[in-house]
């Protein structure tokens, strides 16, 4: 298991993604504080990081709409944030982890928004880099690099 995580961390570190400011290896260590509430379990049931069930499974969190993990009962505010278009990218995750209640107030525009997550983490970059290793979502930096190439291909096809 540690070999898989180390390999994933290396790939992310070398890819120059938006998560490069965090260290996934350090994030794995930091995540141990999160495991009292969260687990990381793949869709086929492989338990990657055994943890609590107070919070949702964080497998594939990066790129997922807020409040949409199937089978988990979310609070109304985080569901509202997801319905308003909040997607868990590096910036949103960082803001949420630093101040869950404040993030939801801003994301929903509801001054009475609440979060079930009471834990705050001042420097979540490493945890986010670690969580990104369990996401099928293409990091933003890679998507930006591919978009011009796709546009150029479409232009050459149109001119032929």
């Amino acid at each position: 298991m540690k070999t898989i995580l180390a390999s994933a961390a290396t790939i992310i570190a070398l890819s120059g993604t938006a998560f490069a400011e965090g260290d996934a290896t350090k994030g794995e260590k930091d995540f141990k504080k999160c495991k009292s509430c969260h687990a990381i379990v793949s869709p086929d049931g492989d338990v990657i990081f055994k943890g609590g069930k107070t919070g949702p499974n964080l497998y594939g969190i990066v790129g997922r709409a807020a409040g949409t993990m199937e089978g988990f009962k979310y609070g109304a505010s985080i569901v509202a944030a997801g319905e308003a278009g909040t997607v868990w990218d590096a910036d949103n995750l960082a803001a949420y982890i630093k101040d869950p209640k404040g993030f939801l107030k801003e994301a929903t525009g509801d001054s009475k928004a609440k979060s079930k997550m009471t834990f705050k983490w001042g420097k979540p970059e490493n945890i986010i880099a670690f969580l990104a290793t369990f996401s099928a979502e293409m990091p933003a930096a890679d998507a930006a690099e591919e978009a011009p190439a796709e546009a150029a291909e479409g232009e050459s096809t149109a001119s032929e």
Side-chain angles (χ1 to χ4, degrees):
M1 179 58 59
K2 289 186 180 195
T3 303
I4 293 170
L5 294 176
S7 298
T10 301
I11 290 168
I12 288 204
L14 296 175
S15 69
T17 68
F19 305 103
E21 65 184 75
D23 181 327
T25 303
K26 289 179 182 176
E28 179 181 5
K29 181 181 175 196
D30 291 346
F31 188 80
K32 290 178 182 175
K33 292 182 177 160
C34 306
K35 75 176 187 167
S36 62
C37 296
H38 297 280
I40 301 175
V41 181
S42 72
D44 55 345
D46 182 28
V47 178
I48 298 163
F49 215 104
K50 186 176 180 181
K53 296 182 191 249
T54 304
N57 174 10
L58 296 181
Y59 187 93
I61 186 83
V62 177
R64 185 168 63 216
T68 60
M69 180 67 189
E70 192 172 318
F72 185 78
K73 185 176 179 182
Y74 288 95
S77 296
I78 200 158
V79 170
E83 289 171 350
T86 299
V87 173
W88 294 126
D89 60 17
D91 292 335
N92 285 337
L93 280 168
Y96 182 74
I97 293 168
K98 288 178 182 178
D99 182 8
K101 186 176 180 180
F103 175 84
L104 290 176
K105 284 181 177 184
E106 187 175 322
T108 63
D110 179 0
S111 64
K112 296 181 182 178
K114 299 181 204 175
S115 176
K116 290 182 178 183
M117 185 165 134
T118 58
F119 186 81
K120 295 179 181 181
W121 186 268
K123 295 186 177 194
E125 295 80 10
N126 294 337
I127 293 170
I128 295 166
F130 174 65
L131 292 173
T133 65
F134 306 106
S135 177
E137 192 67 23
M138 183 187 316
D142 291 345
E145 290 172 10
E146 288 188 15
E150 289 173 6
E153 288 174 16
E155 291 171 3
S156 66
T157 305
S159 65
E160 290 177 337

